Amino acid sequence: MHLSNYFLPVLKENPKEAEIISHRLMLRAGMIRQQAAGIYSWLPLGKKVLDKICGIIREEQNRAGALEILMPTIQPANLWYESGRYDDYGKEMLCIQDRQERDMLYGPTNEEMITDIFRSYIRSYRELPLNLYHIQWKFRDEIRPRFGVMRSREFLMKDAYSFDSDYKSACASYNRMFVAYLRIFTRMGLKTIPMRADTGQIGGDLSHEFIVLADTGESMVFCDRKYLKIPVPSANINFFDDATIENIVRQWTKPYAATEGMHNKDGIWAKMTEGDRLSARGIEVGHIFHFSTKYSLPMGALIMGQNGKKHPVSMGSYGIGLSRLVAAVIEASHDDNGIIWPKEIAPFDIGIINIKPGNIHCDNFSQMCYEKLQSAGFDCLLDDCDEQAGSKFATMDLIGLPLQVIVGPRSAMAGEVEIKDRKSGTRKAMSFKDAINHIGGI
């Protein structure tokens, strides 16, 4: 993509309404635009990051045996009457009526709808386990939306729902999602810590939040420093080896870890040495629940068991706020100059900077670099705009692409480029041939 043909409305000044770093940088980098309180349009650069995150999530959910579907955003209220949640959910739920005066709602979550889908088709334990997920926009009417997409009213979410015949198999499904989440966040360059958490409005008796440590986190979290060294399972993990998956979950839940609401400072925490304690602010990026028959029992989602008797199916729910996750990555990975994208979710792999557009050597060599790198499988953004070099460098640092390829008049004539690593700031001058080998080896 040539920057002269791209829509990238960067801002030179910090927006006054932005309270935290991610909100400020997302606005400045032209990723989002606020349309109303807590409601944002995602512009091309931001949409590319969302798509990258969706791709990783789909790969890992599919790897763990989940199947993708798509449910509607508008739900009939009668499903929520059945579950008993319609009056309990609160004012965050946007309730509406259609022209026939039927009660409807803009879905804040999908437990009722997925339970209705399940009960319409599944009859026997032989058809289980089943895990269905979708990626969809949701709406919760936050009383005070703030921090940009970190706490917005409309947000993109991945939610998965597991169905099992008994508690033991439900725990196996829960564990698969637990490990899948570890892999998802690691692939995005995040170090997350799973913490025992309150089940909140979703309900249930088993729940973990996945927390990213960040100075601008919403609340305090408390954990053992051992979490910083526990290895994350590799891509070749067998998600259907229940014993192996259970051992991984045990390793990741044995050390102490608690959100502020679950923290017991007089228990295990008090017995830990000062050097093992880690207290910091954290951002929730994922939340998983096992809620057994909370929805299947009142909604009549029954299956025939091995004993020939019908009983409610055991369910779990697994959520990731994708739009929120973009902000969390920025909070964890930035510097004074802008965003530093992890490689797997960067909107472009490489930014090519033509320092002097209009110079025939710069123009031709920059275009050759662009075409060769694109052919080699790299997604590149070529800055061919007629602006000062300092402005070009500032823009490229702001949007945070992992690598920059800098082309000037002298280097172009010599067949050389300068490679800048955005994270470390290191620069290396080399021939373009060596540059391709260097980039391919990173």
Side-chain angles (χ1 to χ4, degrees), residues 38-340:
I39 299 176
Y40 292 85
S41 290
W42 287 74
L43 307 183
L45 198 75
K47 177 63 165 53
K48 288 201 73 171
V49 176
L50 274 183
D51 289 345
K52 291 283 188 76
I53 289 175
C54 288
I56 290 173
I57 287 175
R58 285 189 171 100
E59 286 178 16
E60 296 300 334
Q61 290 291 275
N62 296 346
R63 192 195 305 271
L67 303 171
E68 186 173 9
I69 63 172
L70 184 60
M71 292 177 275
T73 57
I74 303 297
Q75 303 182 25
N78 66 287
L79 295 177
W80 288 65
Y81 295 148
E82 284 189 63
S83 72
R85 262 208 311 177
Y86 186 83
D87 294 322
D88 295 339
Y89 199 89
K91 292 185 177 180
E92 287 187 358
M93 186 164 66
L94 181 63
C95 301
I96 55 179
Q97 286 188 331
D98 65 13
R99 66 176 63 196
Q100 277 79 37
E101 297 186 350
R102 291 174 295 208
D103 290 335
M104 312 290 283
L105 57 96
Y106 194 124
T109 184
N110 281 75
E111 282 77 15
E112 283 81 3
M113 185 162 285
I114 197 71
T115 303
D116 179 59
I117 291 172
F118 177 88
R119 70 183 179 182
S120 300
Y121 299 104
I122 305 298
R123 298 287 181 265
S124 169
Y125 75 93
R126 292 187 178 89
E127 300 172 83
L128 303 179
L130 178 66
N131 191 317
L132 303 174
Y133 78 95
H134 74 157
I135 296 173
Q136 178 211 60
W137 290 95
K138 300 188 186 302
F139 186 90
R140 294 176 189 168
D141 198 3
E142 290 275 355
I143 189 170
R144 193 160 71 95
R146 53 183 179 151
F147 303 152
V149 298
M150 188 73 77
R151 180 167 290 183
S152 57
R153 293 194 293 165
E154 187 180 54
F155 53 95
L156 186 62
M157 186 174 180
K158 187 284 304 183
D159 42 328
Y161 302 92
S162 62
F163 303 87
D164 289 275
S165 58
D166 53 41
Y167 181 76
K168 182 179 179 180
S169 55
C171 286
S173 293
Y174 185 95
N175 290 343
R176 280 193 288 274
M177 288 295 102
F178 187 108
V179 174
Y181 274 37
L182 291 176
R183 284 197 41 76
I184 285 169
F185 298 128
T186 297
R187 287 185 59 184
M188 295 178 192
L190 294 172
K191 179 67 177 180
T192 54
I193 300 172
M195 299 190 176
R196 192 69 179 264
D198 185 15
T199 56
Q201 293 170 322
I202 302 297
D205 56 3
L206 179 60
S207 174
H208 284 89
E209 289 182 9
F210 287 77
I211 301 292
V212 174
L213 302 183
D215 292 339
T216 52
E218 301 163 290
S219 60
M220 291 297 297
V221 294
F222 306 86
C223 67
D224 195 314
R225 290 186 182 276
K226 291 186 180 72
Y227 276 107
L228 303 179
K229 298 181 180 179
I230 302 177
V232 173
S234 65
N236 61 7
I237 183 72
N238 181 0
F239 275 98
F240 302 96
D241 182 343
D242 290 347
T244 297
I245 296 296
E246 184 179 0
N247 285 335
I248 293 170
V249 173
R250 188 179 296 114
Q251 183 182 20
W252 277 89
T253 54
K254 186 176 181 180
Y256 184 83
T259 56
E260 195 167 15
M262 302 290 285
H263 180 49
N264 182 0
K265 65 180 182 180
D266 298 321
I268 297 174
W269 183 257
K271 299 176 183 178
M272 293 169 57
T273 65
E274 192 67 31
D276 288 338
R277 293 178 185 173
L278 176 59
S279 56
R281 301 200 73 79
I283 301 170
E284 177 194 339
V285 292
H287 204 158
I288 62 177
F289 308 82
H290 169 253
F291 42 67
S292 188
T293 61
K294 176 179 173 63
Y295 300 94
S296 59
L297 182 59
M299 295 185 69
L302 308 179
I303 57 167
M304 188 70 71
Q306 288 180 288
N307 60 2
K309 297 181 180 179
K310 289 185 176 182
H311 63 85
V313 69
S314 187
M315 294 175 59
S317 174
Y318 315 91
I320 294 176
L322 278 76
S323 44
R324 175 188 180 85
L325 187 55
V326 176
V329 171
I330 295 172
E331 293 290 337
S333 185
H334 68 272
D335 62 15
D336 291 342
N337 296 320
I339 303 165
I340 303 174

Side-chain angles (χ1 to χ4, degrees), residues 392-411:
K392 290 172 173 282
F393 293 143
T395 295
M396 203 60 74
D397 281 351
L398 173 63
I399 66 175
L401 308 185
L403 286 177
Q404 298 173 18
V405 173
I406 304 166
V407 179
R410 292 183 181 178
S411 61

Side-chain angles (χ1 to χ4, degrees), residues 20-32:
I20 61 172
I21 291 167
S22 58
H23 190 194
R24 183 165 68 244
L25 291 178
M26 290 180 77
L27 289 170
R28 286 197 57 211
M31 295 178 63
I32 56 173

